[in-house]
Amino acid sequence: MFEIRRYTAERADEWNAFVAASKNGTFLFDRRYMDYHGDRFEDCSLMVYFKSRLYALLPANRLDDTLYSHQGLTYGGLVMSDSSTTALVRELFREMNDWLREAGVRKVVYKHVPWIYASLPAEEDLFALANVCRASLSSRDVGSVVMLNRRLKFSTLRSRCVKKALKAGVEIRESQDCSEFWPLLEANLKAKYDARPVHSLGEIALLRSRFPRQIRLFVACKEGRVIGGTLLYICARTVKTQYISANEEGRRVGALDLLFTTLMDQCSEDGAEYFDFGTSNLPDNNDLNDSLIFQKEGFGGRAVCYDIYEYSL
């Protein structure tokens, strides 16, 4: 019923056009985004055709005999069009699994796209995972999301910090230069977690040049000095904080509190529906980072899950 082809660079325009018109794709699936770290992964993305027309995409990479969808992306399940139906997606998974078996794949690790990033209901793949693949839930990260047209009040602590920031003269502005924020971000991640940003400064500058409307940096300043900031990934319905950081002075004067109340007001005016603060799981055991989620829930964020499934072929 379906024709399944492995993605090649010659099909980049066709791929990108489908993502842009899909019901659950975001710019993270655009090949200009995916391929910035192409040297780190063996790409095994699939393009699925039905009646000679492109019907679905699977952003994926392969490691040994395991297919991942996709290790370099926050989420990355089946990308579908408005015409996708449950019965056809069910059959698609049957045929895709046969194709993968013939290619020597023995295990699939599958990231589902959270519902807040879809323009229409798009959980046909979840039905197929349960009823065709007999997949099991292997990991569940929890994101904190604000519904912008029904915002909860900030906690007393967060509201008090907003007032503190205003009194201290903190100003919020958009920045076109990530180099004034990245050293602050790198220093914080090193001190707190002995970690580095997923993206280097050069990589994020490259991605911003390719997606200037979708990747935007906002900073909190005091007397002209950057004391905090956040890098936003802006999709059709949902705005996501890709990075958040403040230095000691920024934390002391409540810079991030003023930053986020300002940004949520602006994003709501611009037509966004959800503001996603990202996940708050510990890297070691996948349990909650209680202090991190406490801050995000203080801004009115509530739980949306980022799920990963596994199944054997």
Side-chain angles (χ1 to χ4, degrees), residues 255-270:
L256 294 180
D257 302 88
L258 180 60
L259 175 65
F260 287 124
T261 192
T262 302
L263 289 178
M264 281 191 273
D265 287 343
Q266 179 177 323
C267 290
S268 182
E269 291 176 6
D270 291 343

Side-chain angles (χ1 to χ4, degrees), residues 36-291:
Y36 88 90
H37 53 21
D39 58 327
R40 302 179 199 171
F41 303 98
E42 179 190 347
D43 190 88
C44 194
S45 299
L46 302 180
M47 304 178 74
V48 182
Y49 294 82
F50 178 65
K51 296 183 178 179
S52 300
R53 297 184 61 182
L54 188 55
Y55 188 79
L57 306 172
L58 184 67
N61 69 284
R62 182 170 176 173
L63 181 61
D64 299 326
D65 64 355
T66 301
L67 185 84
Y68 295 87
S69 72
H70 177 298
Q71 286 180 292
L73 299 174
T74 307
Y75 45 81
L78 195 70
V79 181
M80 297 173 280
S81 70
D82 296 358
S83 62
S84 297
T85 64
T86 304
L88 281 177
V89 170
R90 177 190 60 186
E91 183 59 31
L92 185 160
F93 267 81
R94 288 172 176 158
E95 296 189 22
M96 181 176 70
N97 287 343
D98 288 341
W99 188 96
L100 292 171
R101 286 188 195 95
E102 291 183 9
V105 173
R106 296 295 174 259
K107 179 180 177 182
V108 176
V109 179
Y110 185 97
K111 295 179 181 177
H112 177 65
V113 181
W115 61 269
I116 55 173
Y117 291 95
S119 59
L120 288 171
E123 296 188 348
E124 291 84 358
D125 59 339
L126 292 184
F127 179 85
L129 285 171
N131 290 276
V132 174
C133 309
R134 305 301 179 190
S136 60
L137 179 67
S138 63
S139 176
R140 170 165 280 169
D141 290 351
V142 63
S144 299
V145 178
V146 175
M147 184 179 288
L148 291 173
N149 67 354
R150 193 183 171 187
R151 286 164 61 178
L152 301 176
K153 289 183 178 180
F154 277 20
S155 68
T156 301
L157 175 60
R158 301 272 71 86
S159 297
R160 191 161 58 234
C161 287
V162 170
K163 294 176 182 178
K164 186 188 296 185
L166 290 169
K167 185 177 181 180
V170 175
E171 297 180 344
I172 308 301
R173 64 173 173 83
E174 184 169 6
S175 172
Q176 302 302 323
D177 184 7
C178 283
S179 66
E180 64 177 357
F181 172 66
W182 230 247
L184 184 156
L185 172 66
E186 290 177 329
N188 267 358
L189 288 176
K190 178 66 175 176
K192 284 187 176 182
Y193 308 110
D194 193 26
R196 301 173 62 184
V198 173
H199 304 89
S200 69
L201 177 58
E203 288 171 339
I204 207 64
L206 172 66
L207 291 172
R208 285 194 74 206
S209 71
R210 293 176 177 177
F211 300 96
R213 290 183 298 175
Q214 291 90 356
I215 303 176
R216 298 170 65 183
L217 174 64
F218 291 86
V219 294
C221 302
K222 189 173 185 292
E223 298 173 352
R225 292 173 284 105
V226 174
I227 60 175
T230 185
L231 186 78
L232 298 183
Y233 275 20
I234 300 173
C235 302
R237 300 176 66 197
T238 301
V239 176
K240 182 179 184 296
T241 58
Q242 185 68 13
Y243 293 107
I244 304 170
S245 203
N247 61 19
E248 184 177 349
E249 181 181 14
R251 293 190 291 272
R252 187 174 66 250
V253 300
L256 294 180
D257 302 88
L258 180 60
L259 175 65
F260 287 124
T261 192
T262 302
L263 289 178
M264 281 191 273
D265 287 343
Q266 179 177 323
C267 290
S268 182
E269 291 176 6
D270 291 343
E273 298 177 48
Y274 301 100
F275 195 93
D276 182 1
F277 281 99
T279 58
S280 300
N281 292 68
L282 293 169
D284 298 333
N285 59 11
N286 212 35
D287 198 0
L288 272 183
N289 183 327
D290 289 310
S291 61

